[in-house]
Amino acid sequence: AQHVQCLHMIKKPSVYGRILTLILDVILFTLSIFYCIGQQLTVQLNLITECEQKTIDEIWRHSLENADVDEYGQVMMSAQSQHGLTDASCMTTNSIDTNTENLWNSNQYKHDWI
């Protein structure tokens, strides 16, 4: 008798409406939770790096270590060895380094909780 009563209840259209409403409520509740979490985060695009100032000797040492070397172990004169052209950031006497490679070719984001 109870089995027949459950089958009779499932056939009512109001039951499907309530189930659909419950599913919709769960989806909207999940979206609102994610929205609240998103409001607590702040996102920054990292293009400018604050650097610890380097001395001229540190910059020259780095340039020589990364310069091209011939088969005799001698540093070859090139734009890299003379001007310190390298992908390493903060190899300058400036306190701020702008990485233009990141500006055009990649995105680096940093997130913080408010």
Side-chain angles (χ1 to χ4, degrees), residues 50-88:
E50 290 187 41
C51 301
E52 182 180 320
Q53 287 187 334
K54 306 274 191 243
T55 64
I56 297 293
D57 292 334
E58 290 173 321
I59 297 169
W60 271 99
R61 188 177 323 112
H62 181 267
S63 296
L64 284 175
E65 288 172 357
N66 292 312
D68 294 329
V69 178
D70 64 8
E71 64 270 3
Y72 303 110
Q74 298 294 323
V75 175
M76 296 173 46
M77 296 301 283
S78 64
Q80 183 175 359
S81 63
Q82 290 182 3
H83 302 290
L85 300 178
T86 179
D87 292 335

Side-chain angles (χ1 to χ4, degrees), residues 14-80:
S14 64
V15 173
Y16 295 114
R18 289 179 183 168
I19 292 173
L20 183 63
T21 304
L22 180 65
I23 292 171
L24 186 62
D25 287 343
V26 169
I27 291 171
L28 291 176
F29 181 69
T30 305
L31 285 175
S32 67
I33 288 174
F34 287 133
Y35 180 77
C36 290
I37 291 172
Q39 291 297 311
Q40 298 298 318
L41 291 174
T42 179
V43 179
Q44 297 175 0
L45 180 61
N46 285 339
L47 294 176
I48 298 174
T49 308
E50 290 187 41
C51 301
E52 182 180 320
Q53 287 187 334
K54 306 274 191 243
T55 64
I56 297 293
D57 292 334
E58 290 173 321
I59 297 169
W60 271 99
R61 188 177 323 112
H62 181 267
S63 296
L64 284 175
E65 288 172 357
N66 292 312
D68 294 329
V69 178
D70 64 8
E71 64 270 3
Y72 303 110
Q74 298 294 323
V75 175
M76 296 173 46
M77 296 301 283
S78 64
Q80 183 175 359

Side-chain angles (χ1 to χ4, degrees), residues 96-111:
I96 294 177
D97 183 37
T98 304
N99 192 345
T100 55
E101 186 73 22
N102 285 348
L103 177 64
W104 300 112
N105 297 325
S106 69
N107 294 324
Q108 290 184 338
Y109 293 100
K110 178 178 91 172
H111 67 276

